[in-house]
Amino acid sequence: MERTLAIIKPDAVARGKIGEIIRRFEKAGLRISALKMVHLDKRQAEEFYHVHRARPFFDSLTTFMASGPVAVLVLEGETAISTLRAIMGATDPARASPGTIRRDLGTSIEQNTVHGSDSPESAAFEVPYFFQGPETFDYVRVDRHKGGDGPSS
Ligand code: CMP
């Protein structure tokens, strides 16, 4: 079982898209193991995105990520990391496939609505960055309800 970190970014929170995005996570069969809202300060955003510190967009990205609250989730599944990345789509919404979250909801390469861990190594840093052990939950997801949003419906 894999775990990955998802962030619903400030642009999506401000536009009332939290529910729409979480619906897509659940519809893809991902199990929500933890979720909360936080407002990062600039230093925390820099810490979280430290792998990008040499990039020209680092200052703008971290200013944007500290510009408003975000929703953060731990998602679980057999292939949670690649499943999440597939439904998010390419980093640049203009290049993302139709039907992906970024293509449907993103407005720019920076304001691209969602972040997801890109590897097991990233997830191992990113999940504990936001969540302590007792804040994550294990349970059996049951997809029995016909007509619901589960993968079996
Ligand atoms: P994310 O998946 O959160 O990981 C790093 C983020 O940097 C990425 O999504 C984009 O929001 C942002 N990013 C990547 N490339 C660029 C770019 N060329 N210009 C501006 N922002 C970028």
Side-chain angles (χ1 to χ4, degrees):
M1 193 59 73
E2 260 180 10
R3 280 183 164 188
T4 189
L5 184 89
I7 304 180
I8 302 176
K9 296 187 180 187
D11 59 314
V13 172
R15 286 183 292 125
K17 300 299 182 189
I18 294 176
E20 163 71 19
I21 293 171
I22 290 180
R23 187 188 69 80
R24 292 182 186 219
F25 293 162
E26 291 190 318
K27 195 171 182 182
L30 293 164
R31 192 174 68 211
I32 296 170
S33 164
L35 75 104
K36 64 184 172 187
M37 289 182 75
V38 294
H39 190 153
L40 297 170
D41 63 27
K42 172 87 162 137
R43 188 191 55 77
Q44 290 169 320
E46 288 170 357
E47 227 168 59
F48 179 79
Y49 277 118
H50 71 278
V51 293
H52 297 302
R53 64 190 173 279
R55 303 289 191 91
F57 55 81
F58 184 67
D59 185 56
S60 175
L61 170 67
T62 52
T63 298
F64 164 60
M65 290 300 290
S67 69
V70 297
V72 286
L73 300 89
V74 178
L75 302 173
E76 278 192 356
E78 293 294 339
T79 58
I81 294 171
S82 59
T83 298
L84 175 60
R85 291 185 71 78
I87 63 170
M88 289 195 312
T91 306
D92 183 352
R95 293 170 184 272
S97 301
T100 60
I101 296 170
R102 285 166 167 167
R103 174 64 171 263
D104 293 350
L105 303 173
T107 54
S108 71
I109 195 166
E110 182 174 276
Q111 302 204 6
N112 62 357
T113 72
V114 276
H115 166 83
S117 307
D118 66 4
S119 64
E121 294 71 32
S122 303
F125 166 74
E126 293 181 357
V127 169
Y129 186 83
F130 284 105
F131 293 99
Q132 310 306 310
E135 293 179 283
T136 64
F137 299 90
D138 283 325
Y139 58 95
V140 177
R141 184 174 149 164
V142 182
D143 292 303
R144 253 187 232 131
H145 174 63
K146 297 292 176 205
D149 275 341
S152 61
S153 65

